Amino acid sequence: MKLRERSPLAGVGVTSPVRVWHNLSDPQLYELALRRQEASVVSSGALSAETGEHTGRAPKDKFFVLEDSSRDRIWWHGGNQSISEAGFRRLYDRSRVFVAQHELCVQDLYTCADERHRLRVRVITELAWHALFIRHLLRCPPAEDLASFEPDLTVVCLPSLRADPGRDQTRTSTFICMDMSGPMVLIGGTRYAGEIKKAVFSVLNYLLPQRGVLPMHCSANLGRDGDSALFFGLSGTGKTTLASDPSRRLIGDDEHGWSDTGVFNFEGGCYAKTIRLSEAGEPQIWAAANRFGSVLENVVFDPVTRVPDYDDGRLTENTRAAYPLEAIPGVEPSGCGPHPSQVLFLSYDSFGVLPPVARLDPEQVRFFFLAGYTSKVAGTERGLGGVEPTFSTCFAAPFLPLAPSVYADLLVDRVREHGSGVWMLNTGLVGGGAGKGERIALEPTRAIVSAVVEGRLDRVETRRQGPFGLAVPVEVPGVPAELLRIRESWDDPEGYDRQAADLKERFDKALARLDD
C-alpha cells in the first residue's frame, strides 16, 4: 500500500497536505484495519468489528441544519430535529481540525444504479473498516471516473470526535448532522456503521422526490420473465429473507427508487441482520456473510477457533453482515428493473389479527403505507410481557426528511399508473395473539410470496375479513385453508374481535399523529 500525501479533502476545508488513504481496495482496507487493531479476521475470512456503546442507530441524535433552502421542506417532528447554522458550523470547524490532524480513509463512490439519478458521494472515515463497509454498501465507480471525481455529497464519519452538548446544541456527545444546502453529513461519537448508510439514504429521500422519483425502503427482485417485485417491511418482518429467492434475481436488498422508467437500486451491497443466521435456514445470506471481504458487526466469535456464533446476542440482537451484491448468486447486475408487477407490505403482527395475505385497494395502499406497521412481543415471542406495536410511516420514518404524504402520493400514483398489485402479508402470529398464537411458518409464507409475485393470485376469489375489510384469497396453493380464515383460526372468535378492535384503534391513532 502507498500512503498518499496529497489530500482530496478540499471539500471540508482542508487544503494543506494530510495523510489520506484514498480509494483503497478491499484487501488493502483489510490490512489497514488489522494493522490499526480495529477489527479481527474470523474463520470464514470475514472481517469482524465491534461498535462499542452504539450497537444501532441513534435517531434522537440526528439533526437537520435550519437553513433557508430546506427549512420549509423538512418534515419537522421528533425524529427530524433542527440545529442552527451556527451550531453546525461549530461542529464542522471541529471536524475540519480533526481531519487535518489524523490519518483518514476516503472512498469516492456512487449511489443509484440508474445513471440519470446518480449521486457522487465522497465518504471520509476515521476507521478503515468503515471505509470497507461503505465501499460494499454504495457503488464503486469505474477507474476512469475516479480521476475527475467531484462529489455531490460529502459524508464525514469521525467516531472519536464527540460533541459538547452545552456548546454544540446537541443532545449528547453523539451527532448525525445533515446540511441539505451542501449537501454534507457530519457523524461523530458513534462507531455504528449503519449511520453512514442511512445518512446517504436520508439525503436521497430529500432530493429524489423533487425530481419525481419515489425513494423506497424496500427490497426488490426480478423474475424469469422480467417481472419485478418490491418488498417493504421493517426489521424482523422477513424482507431480506423473502426477497433473496434463488428462483429470482435480486435487484437490491434495502433501498430503491421508482422513476418514470422503472425501479433501480441505490446501493451496491447488503446489510443483513445475522442474529440466529443458519446455513440451512438462509443459505444465500449465510454464504455471503461467511466469505473474505464481508464485514461482520458485533458478531461474537470464539477467541481461539475464530468461528462466529450467530446465535449469541450478548453484544446486541442487531448483529449485521455487510457484503457486496455480487456475493449473492444470481443477482441482477444492472441493479435495475421494470415497473413492479407486485408490491408487498410485510408486517409481523403479534396481535394475530392480520391475515397471512390480502390484496389492497388504492385507499388501503395509502393507509397501510402511511401506517408502516409491525409489532413484537416484549420478552420471548410466545411468552413474557405485552405486545409492542411499531408504526414507522412509509416503512421508513427515521429516514424521511419530507412529509409522509409526499412519498405516499408518489406511491399511489405509480401503482395506479402501472397497474401494480399491492398486497399485505402477515409474517407474524396466526390462530391467536401473543402467548396463544403460532408464528406462521416460513414454508407457507414462501408459498404465498411465490403465488403473489408470479401473478397467480391476481384474479382469485377473495373474501373480506377483519377490522380493515381486507380482501383475503379463499385459497392459496401450498397454504392450509384454515390460515386464510383468520378469525375462525382463533379458539375464541370473540377474543379475536376485541383484539381486532384494539389494533384498528392503534392504527387510527398512529395515522392521526402524522397530522399533528
Side-chain angles (χ1 to χ4, degrees):
M1 288 185 287
K2 182 179 178 182
L3 186 63
R4 296 175 183 260
E5 293 295 332
R6 190 169 64 85
S7 170
L9 301 178
V12 291
V14 178
T15 56
S16 58
V18 293
R19 298 195 297 170
V20 177
W21 298 104
H22 194 193
N23 290 329
L24 295 190
S25 66
D26 293 6
Q28 288 174 319
L29 288 169
Y30 255 69
E31 279 187 42
L32 190 58
L34 293 173
R35 179 167 62 79
R36 291 176 168 183
Q37 299 184 328
E38 297 174 4
S40 302
V41 176
V42 297
S43 58
S44 64
L47 194 69
S48 180
E50 294 183 11
T51 62
E53 174 189 359
H54 291 283
T55 57
R57 290 180 299 100
K60 294 182 179 179
D61 295 308
K62 187 180 80 173
F63 302 88
F64 287 90
V65 179
L66 197 59
E67 52 84 28
D68 290 343
S69 71
S70 63
R71 71 168 70 225
D72 293 334
R73 290 193 175 116
I74 299 291
W75 175 39
W76 298 111
H77 67 105
N80 289 341
Q81 304 163 99
S82 66
I83 188 171
S84 71
E85 290 183 281
F88 179 80
R89 186 72 197 188
R90 279 192 292 271
L91 288 171
Y92 173 84
D93 288 341
R94 292 185 60 207
S95 299
R96 187 176 60 178
V97 170
F98 187 100
V99 165
Q101 296 175 347
H102 290 78
E103 180 182 303
L104 301 170
C105 296
V106 174
Q107 288 284 317
D108 293 332
L109 303 162
Y110 287 154
T111 68
C112 301
D114 186 336
E115 294 183 7
R116 298 180 309 152
H117 305 292
R118 178 165 289 166
L119 204 68
R120 294 165 296 187
V121 184
R122 175 161 287 164
V123 183
I124 301 167
T125 61
E126 176 187 354
L127 299 175
W129 77 266
H130 276 180
L132 180 61
F133 167 88
I134 202 60
R135 183 177 167 85
H136 290 338
L137 267 295
L138 296 185
R139 311 180 73 86
C140 294
E144 58 269 22
D145 289 2
L146 293 174
S148 58
F149 190 94
E150 291 294 334
D152 303 306
L153 165 66
T154 301
V155 180
V156 184
C157 183
L158 310 171
S160 297
L161 181 63
R162 305 180 76 83
D164 179 343
R167 178 185 60 188
D168 297 323
Q169 301 178 15
T170 58
R171 187 183 68 93
T172 68
S173 59
T174 299
F175 59 92
I176 303 96
C177 292
M178 302 188 184
D179 179 8
M180 292 305 180
S181 68
M184 175 178 285
V185 178
L186 302 179
I187 301 171
T190 173
R191 298 167 70 96
Y192 182 65
E195 294 287 13
I196 308 172
K197 161 189 159 69
K198 291 305 185 185
V200 175
F201 185 43
S202 296
V203 172
L204 289 170
N205 281 340
Y206 177 80
L207 296 175
L208 290 182
Q210 299 174 54
R211 305 176 186 174
V213 177
L214 170 63
M216 305 174 293
H217 186 208
C218 70
S219 299
N221 64 24
L222 200 61
R224 293 188 181 94
D225 296 329
D227 56 296
S228 68
L230 305 181
F231 297 77
F232 289 87
L234 302 176
S235 180
T237 59
K239 174 167 62 75
T240 299
T241 299
L242 295 172
S244 300
D245 183 339
S247 68
R248 297 173 66 86
R249 299 195 303 280
L250 185 70
I251 297 173
D253 172 59
D254 198 43
E255 299 168 3
H256 294 81
W258 190 348
S259 71
D260 56 357
T261 59
V263 298
F264 59 93
N265 189 4
F266 289 168
E267 301 181 303
C270 300
Y271 189 37
K273 291 192 75 169
T274 60
I275 193 68
R276 289 174 286 279
L277 177 67
S278 70
E279 186 173 13
E282 297 174 286
Q284 287 192 332
I285 298 173
W286 171 274
N290 289 283
R291 59 184 288 279
F292 175 84
S294 296
V295 178
L296 303 182
E297 198 174 48
N298 295 314
V299 174
V300 175
F301 59 88
D302 186 283
V304 177
T305 66
R306 299 299 177 101
V307 174
D309 183 354
Y310 293 107
D311 293 329
D312 193 329
R314 77 180 77 170
L315 296 178
T316 178
E317 290 280 303
N318 188 36
T319 56
R320 296 275 182 168
Y323 46 84
L325 273 171
E326 55 263 29
I328 299 290
V331 71
E332 170 52 42
S334 71
C336 298
H339 298 295
S341 302
Q342 309 292 347
V343 178
L344 295 84
F345 295 164
L346 308 178
S347 296
Y348 185 108
D349 178 26
S350 291
F351 288 81
V353 168
L354 297 180
V357 60
R359 181 159 191 157
L360 305 182
D361 62 34
E363 286 189 10
Q364 291 170 333
V365 170
R366 184 180 180 84
F367 180 85
F368 278 93
F369 188 62
L370 284 173
Y373 166 71
T374 194
S375 63
K376 61 181 180 180
V377 178
T380 61
E381 183 176 297
R382 289 288 312 278
L384 306 175
V387 178
E388 298 178 2
T390 298
F391 295 95
S392 183
T393 188
C394 307
F395 298 96
F399 322 117
L400 303 184
L402 308 177
S405 60
V406 172
Y407 309 99
D409 289 346
L410 278 169
L411 177 65
V412 171
D413 288 347
R414 287 276 188 263
V415 165
R416 282 177 169 157
E417 181 180 358
H418 301 291
S420 308
V422 186
W423 305 80
M424 193 288 305
L425 272 66
N426 174 18
T427 61
L429 303 186
V430 291
K436 293 184 178 179
E438 297 285 345
R439 181 170 190 180
I440 184 170
L442 188 57
E443 291 77 12
T445 298
R446 286 195 186 279
I448 290 169
V449 170
S450 294
V452 167
V453 300
E454 292 170 9
R456 290 185 280 120
L457 299 187
D458 286 352
R459 294 176 179 83
V460 300
E461 181 186 356
T462 61
R463 184 177 68 170
R464 295 282 176 180
Q465 296 188 39
F468 304 101
L470 295 172
V472 181
V474 172
E475 183 179 4
V476 178
V479 179
E482 59 270 19
L483 292 182
L484 301 172
R485 298 190 294 271
I486 189 67
R487 183 178 185 271
E488 296 169 32
S489 71
W490 280 51
D491 293 336
D492 176 15
E494 291 182 356
Y496 171 87
D497 294 338
R498 291 190 295 271
Q499 190 91 307
D502 180 25
L503 182 60
K504 178 64 165 59
E505 183 179 0
R506 291 172 187 262
F507 265 79
D508 292 340
K509 288 181 178 178
L511 291 176
R513 285 194 293 270
L514 295 180
D515 297 326
D516 291 345

